[in-house]
C-alpha cells in the first residue's frame, strides 16, 4: 500500500505536466505572391541553393571570400553569440533535473549558565557547551506541472537556432560585400586603363595642334584648350588610383586584415552574368533566406515565452529531500546507522498577490510576440522586394549595356573620323576635343554598367538567401 501511495504521488505531477500552458507555434500568415513580379523571374530551383564556391568560381575571389569568412569581425561576433546561446540551451536542458547539494557543518554553542539552554545542557549533556556535527545531501526538484520548464527549454532552443540563422545571414552579407567589392575593384582597374589610354590620345592631339600653331593654322587658344583637355584626362589617373587603394583596403578590412594590396590576375571582362538566373518562388525564401528564418525563430521563441510566463501564475509543486549523518559528539559523527537521518517534503505554492508582476510579465510577453510577428512579416516583405529589385536591375542594366556598347562604338568611329578630318583641315580642334571627351565618358560609363550588372547578380544571389553554404 505504501508503494502504491508513492507511485500515485509521482504520477500526479507527471499527469499534470501534460497540461502545457500557452499555444503551440503556428507560422504567421504572410501570403507571399505565387511568383516574383518581373518578366525575367525564372521559377526553377533557386540559385540560393548553390554553394558560394560554385557560384563564384574565380580563384582570387574565392580566396578573398574564404579569408573573410574565417576572419571577419562581424561574423566572428555572430559565432560567439551562437556559443552563448548554446550554453544557455545546455542550462535550460538541465532544468528538469533536481538540484543536489552537499553540506558539511560543525558547530559548538555555549549558553549562559543561568539560561534555560545552559542549565539544560549541564543537566542532560553534562557539559557547558553543545556540539553539532552534520553531513547531508539536499535534493530539490520542481515538477513541470504546467509545462513551464518545457516552454523555457523551447525559448532557449529557438534562441540558439536564431543565433545560428543570424550568423548565416551575416555570412551571406559578407560574401556579397566581398564579391561586390572585388567587382568594383576590377571596374576601377578597367577605368584606370581607359584613363591612361585617353591621356596618350590627348597627348597626340595636343602635339598635332601645337604643330598647327607653329604653322599658323590655329591660334594659342586652340593649344590651351587642348592642353586643358589633356590635364582633365590626366586628373582621372590619380583619382582612380586613390579609389583603387581605398577599395583594396576595404576588402582587406572585410577579411579582418590590415591594409595591403589585393593581387588580381583577372579583368572585369572575364565575368559575365548568366542569361538565366533561377529564383524559385517567393515562398522558398521562408526556408532558405537566413535572416527570414531568424525572424521566424524569434516568433517561435516569443511564443514559447508567453507559455512560460503564463505558467508562472499557476501553482508550482516542489519536492525536497535531505539525508545524511548527524551527531552531538565528533566521536559519534560517523556512527552508522545511529547517526543517520532523512527528511522528505512536498509543497504546492500558488502565487496570490505579487503586485501584478506575474500578470504584467505575461502581458509583456504577448506584446513581444506581436512585435516578433511584425518583424517576421517585414523580413518576408523586404526579402521579396529585394529579389524583385535585383531582377529589375538585371533586366534594365542589360538594355543599358547594349545601348552604351553601341554608343561607344559610334563614338570611337566618330573620333577616327574627326582625327582624319582635323589633319586634313576639314574639322576644327573643338570637334576633336569634344569627340575625345565623349568617348572617354562613354567608356567609363560602360565599365560602370558592367560592374552594376555583376553587382545586381550578387544582390540576387544574396537576397534569395545564397552565400551561407
Amino acid at each position: 500500500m505504501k508503494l502504491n501511495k508513492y507511485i500515485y504521488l509521482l504520477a500526479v505531477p507527471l499527469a499534470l505536466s501534460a497540461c502545457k500552458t500557452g499555444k503551440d507555434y503556428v507560422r504567421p500568415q504572410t501570403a507571399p505572391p505565387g511568383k516574383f513580379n518581373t518578366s525575367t523571374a525564372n521559377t526553377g530551383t533557386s540559385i540560393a541553393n548553390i554553394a558560394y564556391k560554385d557560384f563564384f568560381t574565380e580563384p582570387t575571389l574565392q580566396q578573398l571570400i574564404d579569408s573573410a569568412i574565417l576572419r571577419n569581425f562581424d561574423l566572428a561576433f555572430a559565432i560567439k553569440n551562437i556559443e552563448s546561446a548554446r550554453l544557455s540551451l545546455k542550462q535550460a536542458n538541465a532544468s528538469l533535473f533536481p538540484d543536489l547539494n552537499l553540506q558539511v557543518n560543525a558547530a559548538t554553542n555555549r549558553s549562559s549558565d543561568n539560561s534555560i539552554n545552559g542549565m539544560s545542557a549541564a543537566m542532560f549533556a553534562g557539559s557547558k557547551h553543545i556540539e553539532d556535527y552534520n553531513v547531508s545531501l539536499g535534493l530539490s526538484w520542481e515538477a513541470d506541472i504546467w509545462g513551464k520548464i518545457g516552454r523555457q527549454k523551447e525559448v532557449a532552443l529557438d534562441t540558439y537556432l536564431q543565433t545560428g540563422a543570424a550568423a548565416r545571414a551575416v555570412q551571406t552579407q559578407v560574401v556579397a560585400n566581398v564579391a561586390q567589392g572585388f567587382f568594383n575593384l576590377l571596374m576601377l582597374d578597367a577605368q584606370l586603363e581607359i584613363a591612361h589610354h585617353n591621356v596618350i590620345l590627348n597627348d597626340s592631339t595636343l602635339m598635332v595642334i601645337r604643330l598647327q600653331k607653329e604653322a599658323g593654322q590655329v591660334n594659342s587658344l586652340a593649344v590651351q584648350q587642348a592642353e586643358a583637355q589633356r590635364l582633365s584626362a590626366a586628373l582621372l589617373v590619380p583619382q582612380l588610383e586613390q579609389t583603387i587603394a581605398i577599395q583594396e583596403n576595404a576588402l582587406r578590412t572585410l577579411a579582418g586584415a590590415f591594409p595591403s594590396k589585393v593581387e588580381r590576375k583577372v579583368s572585369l571582362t572575364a565575368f559575365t552574368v548568366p542569361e538565366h538566373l533561377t529564383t524559385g518562388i517567393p515562398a522558398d525564401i521562408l526556408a532558405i533566406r537566413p535572416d527570414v528564418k531568424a525572424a521566424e525563430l524569434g516568433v517561435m521563441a516569443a511564443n514559447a515565452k508567453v507559455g512560460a510566463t503564463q505558467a508562472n501564475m499557476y501553482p508550482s509543486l516542489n519536492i525536497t529531500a535531505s539525508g545524511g549523518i548527524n551527531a552531538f559528539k565528533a566521536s559519534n559523527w560517523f556512527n552508522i546507522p545511529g547517526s543517520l537521518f532523512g527528511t522528505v517534503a512536498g509543497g504546492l505554492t500558488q502565487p496570490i498577490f505579487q503586485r501584478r508582476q506575474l500578470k504584467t510579465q505575461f502581458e509583456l510577453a504577448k506584446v513581444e510576440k506581436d512585435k516578433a510577428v511584425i518583424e517576421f512579416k517585414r523580413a518576408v516583405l523586404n526579402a521579396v522586394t529585394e529579389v524583385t529589385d535585383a531582377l529589375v536591375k538585371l533586366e534594365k542594366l542589360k538594355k543599358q549595356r547594349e545601348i552604351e556598347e553601341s554608343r561607344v562604338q559610334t563614338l570611337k568611329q566618330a573620333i577616327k573620323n574627326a582625327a582624319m578630318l582635323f589633319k586634313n583641315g576639314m574639322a576644327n580642334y573643338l570637334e576633336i576635343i569634344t569627340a575625345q571627351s565623349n568617348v572617354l565618358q562613354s567608356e567609363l560609363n560602360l565599365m560602370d554598367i558592367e560592374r552594376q550588372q555583376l553587382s545586381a547578380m550578387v544582390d540576387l544571389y544574396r537576397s534569395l538567401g545564397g552565400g551561407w553554404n
Side-chain angles (χ1 to χ4, degrees):
M1 290 180 65
K2 285 185 177 181
L3 180 62
N4 290 338
K5 180 175 71 174
Y6 290 134
I7 293 174
Y8 175 76
L9 289 173
L10 289 172
V12 170
L14 291 175
L16 289 173
S17 65
C19 306
K20 267 191 174 182
T21 53
K23 298 178 180 179
D24 290 335
Y25 171 75
V26 177
R27 175 179 285 174
Q29 292 294 326
T30 55
K35 62 180 182 178
F36 295 105
N37 187 27
T38 61
S39 59
T40 55
N42 191 324
T43 56
T45 302
S46 172
I47 58 174
N49 293 304
I50 302 174
Y52 72 84
K53 287 191 176 183
D54 295 326
F55 193 78
F56 302 109
T57 56
E58 204 283 318
T60 304
L61 179 54
Q62 281 187 350
Q63 184 179 2
L64 287 169
I65 293 174
D66 288 340
S67 180
I69 291 175
L70 185 63
R71 300 184 181 88
N72 181 264
F73 291 122
D74 291 336
L75 191 53
F77 193 86
I79 291 172
K80 288 299 178 183
N81 285 339
I82 295 176
E83 293 181 13
S84 297
R86 179 177 58 82
L87 293 172
S88 298
L89 177 60
K90 289 178 68 175
Q91 175 64 45
N93 286 334
S95 58
L96 284 172
F97 298 106
D99 292 333
L100 187 64
N101 298 294
L102 173 65
Q103 192 172 35
V104 179
N105 293 317
T108 181
N109 181 35
R110 187 189 188 287
S111 302
S112 169
D113 292 340
N114 296 324
S115 67
I116 294 177
N117 290 335
M119 288 186 289
S120 298
M123 182 181 300
F124 296 104
S127 173
K128 292 184 178 182
H129 65 276
I130 298 176
E131 297 176 353
D132 187 40
Y133 300 93
N134 185 74
V135 176
S136 65
L137 280 174
L139 181 144
S140 175
W141 179 63
E142 180 182 355
D144 192 16
I145 300 177
W146 311 108
K148 176 178 68 176
I149 298 175
R151 291 298 187 191
Q152 290 171 344
K153 288 176 61 179
E154 285 183 42
V155 173
L157 176 60
D158 292 335
T159 302
Y160 170 67
L161 296 175
Q162 185 181 21
T163 56
R168 292 193 294 273
V170 172
Q171 179 172 321
T172 62
Q173 191 62 61
V174 168
V175 170
N177 288 346
V178 171
Q180 290 176 333
F182 184 69
F183 292 140
N184 191 49
L185 190 58
L186 296 184
M187 177 204 70
L188 293 169
D189 288 342
Q191 290 184 333
L192 182 60
E193 185 178 346
I194 291 169
H196 279 303
H197 176 73
N198 200 263
V199 169
I200 295 172
L201 184 62
N202 277 269
D203 283 339
S204 299
T205 301
L206 179 59
M207 183 175 64
V208 171
I209 292 176
R210 281 174 176 168
L211 290 173
Q212 287 185 336
K213 180 181 180 299
E214 291 176 1
Q217 296 177 358
V218 296
N219 55 28
S220 298
L221 179 61
V223 176
Q224 291 168 351
Q225 288 188 319
E227 188 168 0
Q229 173 65 22
R230 177 196 170 281
L231 292 172
S232 179
L235 182 62
L236 280 174
V237 174
Q239 289 177 339
L240 288 167
E241 289 174 341
Q242 170 187 303
T243 308
I244 286 172
I246 293 173
Q247 181 61 72
E248 287 178 323
N249 294 344
L251 281 171
R252 291 300 186 194
T253 300
L254 280 171
F258 288 105
S260 63
K261 187 173 179 60
V262 176
E263 297 296 333
R264 48 201 180 277
K265 300 178 181 178
V266 66
S267 65
L268 190 68
T269 54
F271 296 89
T272 56
V273 176
E275 189 67 26
H276 299 290
L277 291 169
T278 53
T279 61
I281 59 175
D284 293 338
I285 289 176
L286 299 176
I288 300 175
R289 184 158 158 159
D291 62 331
V292 173
K293 191 62 181 176
E296 183 176 13
L297 286 164
V299 179
M300 295 170 70
N303 180 74
K305 191 173 181 180
V306 170
T309 54
Q310 184 181 4
N312 286 334
M313 297 187 292
Y314 296 160
S316 59
L317 175 62
N318 290 280
I319 298 173
T320 60
S322 63
I325 52 179
N326 178 253
F328 286 107
K329 292 183 179 181
S331 58
N332 294 330
W333 195 357
F334 296 97
N335 185 2
I336 298 176
S339 296
L340 289 174
F341 78 93
T343 60
V344 178
L348 195 65
T349 305
Q350 168 64 57
I352 296 177
F353 180 71
Q354 293 189 356
R355 291 180 290 185
R356 209 179 184 276
Q357 291 178 355
L358 297 179
K359 187 175 182 181
T360 299
Q361 289 174 2
F362 175 55
E363 292 173 348
L364 285 173
K366 291 195 291 184
V367 172
E368 291 299 319
K369 179 192 172 183
D370 292 341
K371 288 165 63 177
V373 170
I374 293 171
E375 287 293 335
F376 172 60
K377 291 183 177 181
R378 178 164 60 182
V380 174
L381 177 60
N382 288 343
V384 174
T385 302
E386 287 178 1
V387 172
T388 306
D389 288 347
L391 288 170
V392 170
K393 287 179 184 177
L394 285 169
E395 179 184 5
K396 300 306 177 184
L397 284 167
K398 181 181 179 182
K399 294 180 180 179
Q400 291 178 46
R401 180 174 179 174
E402 292 172 355
I403 295 171
E404 195 63 43
E405 283 178 336
S406 179
R407 184 168 180 262
V408 167
Q409 293 303 317
T410 301
L411 289 171
K412 283 184 176 180
Q413 186 60 45
I415 202 171
K416 288 180 181 178
N417 293 337
M420 183 174 61
L421 292 172
F422 179 68
K423 290 178 181 178
N424 294 322
M426 300 176 66
N428 60 41
Y429 64 90
L430 289 176
E431 290 174 313
I432 193 168
I433 289 174
T434 301
Q436 289 175 347
S437 177
N438 288 340
V439 77
L440 170 63
Q441 191 58 51
S442 186
E443 286 181 322
L444 294 176
N445 287 343
L446 180 58
M447 292 300 102
D448 186 53
I449 290 173
E450 290 183 9
R451 190 270 308 167
Q452 289 185 59
Q453 280 187 294
L454 293 169
S455 180
M457 176 189 70
V458 175
D459 267 341
L460 180 63
Y461 181 61
R462 180 202 59 78
S463 58
L464 287 168
W468 59 267
N469 57 340

